[in-house]
Amino acid sequence: QVQLVESGGGSVQAGGSLRLSCEASGFVYSGGCMAWFRQPPGKRREGVASIHTGTNVTAYDDSFKGRFTISQTNGGFTAFLQMNSLKTDDTAMYYCARGSGAGGYCPPLEPHDYGYWGQGTQVTVSS
């Protein structure tokens, strides 16, 4: 059974940091892309970052460059999102997703390009 499980969410004050983790299981191959999305309250889901598990090529939405860092280990079965200098606007449910990675690059950070999703982990940033 294919599964993605996020952890590491919680409550933090503005300016603080959190590290999210995503464990993938049930996938036959480690290759592909791992990505993080988020969905703030009342808003649509938006892409944060992606990483190709074979080439380690990363991509970020411009909104998160310099503050968030995506990484992966365990042959692509574990992904992380290091979030620094958190703002109240970063309050959201954060989701891990997995998709294909043809040509060594990940697809655009659009939800419809990723076929597998975790249940999400809540991040709340207070002022």
Side-chain angles (χ1 to χ4, degrees), residues 41-54:
K43 297 183 179 181
R44 68 174 189 173
R45 196 167 296 190
E46 59 185 4
V48 176
S50 64
I51 185 166
H52 193 281
T53 61

Side-chain angles (χ1 to χ4, degrees), residues 3-111:
Q3 197 172 15
L4 296 171
V5 178
E6 304 95 336
S7 62
S11 297
V12 65
Q13 287 194 317
S17 298
L18 281 174
R19 189 190 196 207
L20 306 182
S21 299
C22 174
E23 297 285 344
S25 61
F27 292 93
V28 176
Y29 301 106
S30 62
C33 291
M34 298 285 277
W36 288 95
F37 290 78
R38 74 179 193 181
Q39 189 163 13
K43 297 183 179 181
R44 68 174 189 173
R45 196 167 296 190
E46 59 185 4
V48 176
S50 64
I51 185 166
H52 193 281
T53 61
T55 64
N56 246 12
V57 173
T58 59
Y60 294 86
D61 182 275
D62 286 345
S63 304
F64 308 104
K65 287 181 179 178
R67 292 197 303 128
F68 291 7
T69 303
I70 190 171
S71 60
Q72 56 105 6
T73 187
N74 194 23
F77 287 103
T78 304
F80 304 97
L81 185 68
Q82 178 67 42
M83 305 186 295
N84 298 327
S85 303
L86 284 163
K87 309 172 183 177
T88 55
D89 288 348
D90 293 319
T91 294
M93 184 71 79
Y94 284 73
Y95 297 91
C96 175
R98 190 174 178 97
S100 62
Y105 292 89
C106 292
L109 286 165
E110 295 291 340

